[in-house]
Amino acid sequence: MKIENIKTFGDLKKAGFEYKTIKEELRRNLLQKLLKKETVFEGIHGYDYTVIPELERAILSKHNINLLGLRGQAKTRLARQMVSLLDEYIPVVAGSEINDDPFHPISRFAKELVHDKGDKTPIEWLHRDERFSEKLATPDVTVADIIGDVDPIKAANLKLTYADDRVIHFGMIPRANRSIFVINELPDLQPRIQVALFNILQEGDVQIRGFKLRMPLDVQFVFTANPEDYTNRGSIVTPLKDRIGSQILTHYPDDIKTARTITQQETMEASATKEKIYVPELAKDIVEQISFEARESEFIDAKSGVSARLSITAFENLLSTAERRALQNGEDKTSVRLSDFMGIIPAITGKVELVYEGEQEGASEVAEQLINSAVKRQFEGYFPKIEKLQKESDVDPYANVVAWFFEESGFELLDTLSDTEYKRQLNKIEPLEQLLKKHVPDISAKDKPFFKEFVLWALSEYKKLSKHNLGDGLEFKDVYGGYISGL
């Protein structure tokens, strides 16, 4: 029988519908997906052998869950994707505030309706998308918000005394009955609010303004928390932690490839609107490397974490920097340049928490250092290592490039250069072409200009050349040539 034809409790019984709790529902649907070898959590990368198996085990065990990890580790996304494990539709008693199941009504309204009308009790169908509630824990959250309170307006309209439990206005958790309820940043909840959750998690009791209601709420709780919160802003009270079945530790991507997959997934819309901007693969790797460098930087607070959103917003800014330059030059299409990375600094400064030493350096200076460190780290994967000290007998693969700069007074790459001018400027440095042919012979013609600038940045990081920010571009010089010419 189709659900649109099931309109009463009697129809529901005839259809053979069976009552099950939300945890049983999640468990059963997960088992079916696992048996069919279907992907359970779409668009979640880097967790295949760590977080996702632990989350699946928690669901199979019918546990309430706490996802513990630094910001930008997809904790909320994981919780939201659990909705896909719910049945598409479930029956509820029509008019119920708390999604009462007709087989097991728990509110006074639903109990009386089922008692009076029996099999003629009207039924509504609730879609799984409506069975997800989320609350960001903030210090101003009250018990009335999440559990409920006495409603004087309802008492007046119904002409009831405050001794009648029908004057209760249910809060978010009772209204999320038979749903997934997420509390983000749990430690930010005041301890007295956390205490109010004890009985709901364990016994199903709801206490509102002196009313002790035995309401066995059927809720799948998912909490998220940041480890930093345990020491800085608040903590999860021990008895509440004890009532949460599984605590799962999330983490950042372990490698550049995974990080790139996440960024490309999250920037598909931006990439689609700027499809005429060519982005070399190396540029994408450098964007991700910046986040990895930031997580190791002595200037950045490791406890606060470096969100995956840094790479996402940085990549969007990178595209926009190239797009803006192309518009100014009247070009239909362009390629990303390494100097465009100066345009992503605002995306970095807003995503990192600096320690005292970092504050002394300055946010923009730290961001620029991260970009330079990322260039240096990626350089090691393409070209011979640059030794700080070399024997006279050792062959220096970069000697010809450095010698070219020794003979020149300076070399400028201005931001306003058209693509043609940009390439022409880089082609002046003939030793660069020979260097690329020898060490990265397989790169495409489109990637060559980026790689040439990449070599110049790396040589400046290794103190083989000097790099100066001109405001409207960059200038590269020989480290010692400037001193000699000035004598």
Side-chain angles (χ1 to χ4, degrees):
M1 189 183 291
K2 294 182 179 179
I3 61 170
E4 55 264 28
N5 298 327
I6 301 175
K7 297 181 180 179
T8 65
F9 190 18
D11 294 338
L12 198 63
K13 290 177 179 176
K14 287 177 186 175
F17 188 88
E18 295 180 3
Y19 167 78
K20 53 187 173 294
T21 66
I22 185 171
K23 289 184 169 68
E24 288 169 347
E25 190 181 327
L26 289 165
R27 172 183 161 81
R28 189 193 65 177
N29 292 332
L30 175 59
L31 282 171
Q32 288 180 354
K33 280 184 174 282
L34 292 176
L35 285 170
K36 294 176 183 176
K37 300 190 183 303
E38 294 178 6
T39 301
V40 180
F41 295 95
E42 296 282 350
I44 305 293
H45 305 282
Y47 285 172
D48 294 346
Y49 304 105
T50 52
V51 176
I52 288 176
E54 291 181 0
L55 185 54
E56 289 173 349
R57 286 192 285 268
I59 293 169
L60 293 174
S61 300
K62 302 181 185 178
H63 284 173
N64 291 315
I65 298 161
N66 182 28
L67 296 170
L68 181 65
L70 297 171
R71 56 185 174 176
Q73 292 184 349
K75 299 187 292 296
T76 305
R77 175 170 291 195
L78 282 167
R80 287 176 181 165
Q81 289 215 11
M82 286 175 64
V83 172
S84 66
L85 294 173
L86 297 171
D87 290 346
E88 189 173 6
Y89 287 95
I90 59 166
V92 298
V93 175
S96 168
E97 288 183 86
I98 60 171
N99 305 326
D100 279 285
D101 187 288
F103 290 98
H104 286 80
I106 59 174
S107 70
R108 178 168 173 170
F109 165 81
K111 285 178 179 176
E112 289 179 352
L113 190 63
V114 172
H115 180 268
D116 293 342
K117 295 199 172 184
D119 285 354
K120 293 184 179 179
T121 302
I123 296 299
E124 294 176 340
W125 290 91
L126 190 67
H127 191 265
R128 60 182 165 216
D129 289 345
E130 300 175 77
R131 298 173 63 196
F132 180 88
S133 294
E134 189 175 349
K135 178 64 179 171
L136 176 63
T138 53
D140 62 333
V141 173
T142 65
V143 173
D145 293 332
I146 61 171
I147 297 178
D149 204 350
V150 169
D151 186 348
I153 296 174
K154 186 184 282 189
N157 288 341
L158 298 176
K159 297 180 180 178
L160 299 170
T161 69
Y162 283 179
D164 193 309
D165 62 10
R166 285 175 291 179
V167 303
I168 292 173
H169 172 78
F170 292 112
M172 291 186 72
I173 292 178
R175 288 175 182 277
N177 184 40
R178 303 175 71 200
S179 303
I180 296 169
F181 189 78
V182 179
I183 298 182
N184 282 315
E185 309 302 339
L186 179 61
D188 283 353
L189 271 189
Q190 293 183 29
R192 64 186 180 83
I193 311 298
Q194 294 185 37
V195 169
L197 297 174
F198 288 179
N199 277 16
I200 295 178
L201 263 68
Q202 198 68 34
E203 290 86 16
D205 290 342
V206 177
Q207 296 184 24
I208 301 171
R209 293 287 184 183
F211 292 103
K212 185 176 181 182
L213 307 174
R214 181 62 183 161
M215 292 178 67
L217 293 171
D218 182 20
V219 180
Q220 170 66 56
F221 283 97
V222 180
F223 305 101
T224 73
N226 189 319
E228 178 195 15
D229 296 335
Y230 287 107
T231 54
N232 284 12
R233 294 201 294 268
S235 62
I236 302 175
V237 296
T238 306
L240 180 58
K241 285 176 70 176
D242 185 54
R243 285 167 168 79
I244 299 171
S246 291
Q247 178 169 282
I248 298 168
L249 302 179
T250 58
H251 57 83
Y252 289 121
D254 294 326
D255 54 74
I256 296 289
K257 183 180 178 182
T258 304
R260 266 187 60 171
T261 303
I262 295 168
T263 300
Q264 287 174 10
Q265 173 183 282
E266 299 304 311
T267 56
M268 283 178 66
E269 187 178 340
S271 299
T273 57
K274 299 168 184 175
E275 57 184 6
K276 292 184 178 179
I277 300 169
Y278 175 71
V279 186
E281 297 300 303
L282 175 56
K284 295 176 183 177
D285 287 343
I286 292 172
V287 168
E288 302 305 334
Q289 189 68 52
I290 290 168
S291 293
F292 281 77
E293 296 299 316
R295 289 169 193 143
E296 297 175 5
S297 172
E298 61 182 349
F299 297 126
I300 293 170
D301 186 0
K303 291 179 182 177
S304 180
V306 177
S307 168
R309 285 182 282 272
L310 186 151
S311 298
I312 294 164
T313 53
F315 187 73
E316 290 168 343
N317 261 18
L318 187 65
L319 291 176
S320 297
T321 304
E323 181 182 38
R324 181 176 178 273
R325 183 188 63 252
L327 289 170
Q328 288 177 325
N329 290 333
E331 296 175 321
D332 292 333
K333 54 186 179 181
T334 188
S335 293
V336 163
R337 305 172 187 174
L338 194 47
S339 45
D340 290 337
F341 275 75
M342 301 306 288
I344 75 171
I345 288 176
I348 299 173
T349 54
K351 296 289 185 298
V352 294
E353 293 289 333
L354 302 179
V355 295
Y356 176 75
E357 291 80 3
E359 296 285 358
Q360 295 297 104
E361 287 284 320
S364 294
E365 180 63 29
V366 169
E368 196 169 335
Q369 287 182 31
L370 292 176
I371 295 170
N372 290 332
S373 297
V375 168
K376 191 174 179 180
R377 188 69 63 94
Q378 283 293 316
F379 184 77
E380 295 167 0
Y382 290 91
F383 295 94
K385 187 176 180 181
I386 299 176
E387 301 291 348
K388 288 184 179 179
L389 296 173
Q390 285 183 315
K391 297 177 182 176
E392 288 185 14
S393 57
D394 290 344
V395 177
D396 183 359
Y398 309 102
N400 291 338
V401 177
V402 174
W404 187 91
F405 280 89
F406 185 80
E407 294 169 5
E408 299 289 327
S409 57
F411 176 81
E412 293 181 355
L413 281 177
L414 300 180
D415 297 336
T416 53
L417 291 176
S418 66
D419 274 14
T420 304
E421 276 297 304
Y422 172 71
K423 291 173 186 174
R424 191 177 67 79
Q425 276 287 89
L426 288 168
N427 287 340
K428 286 181 182 177
I429 313 171
E430 293 181 9
L432 274 180
E433 186 76 32
Q434 297 159 9
L435 187 73
L436 298 191
K437 270 185 184 177
K438 184 172 182 180
H439 298 289
V440 282
D442 298 328
I443 60 170
S444 66
K446 274 186 172 182
D447 287 353
K448 267 190 180 180
F450 189 89
F451 267 83
K452 287 180 178 180
E453 190 180 355
F454 176 57
V455 172
L456 299 184
W457 278 57
L459 290 177
S460 71
E461 277 305 294
Y462 282 101
K463 311 302 181 189
K464 293 276 188 179
L465 296 176
S466 63
K467 173 164 65 73
H468 304 284
N469 193 333
L470 302 173
D472 61 345
L474 298 171
E475 181 185 40
F476 295 90
K477 283 185 174 182
D478 173 68
V479 176
Y480 306 108
Y483 294 116
I484 295 169
S485 62
L487 290 175

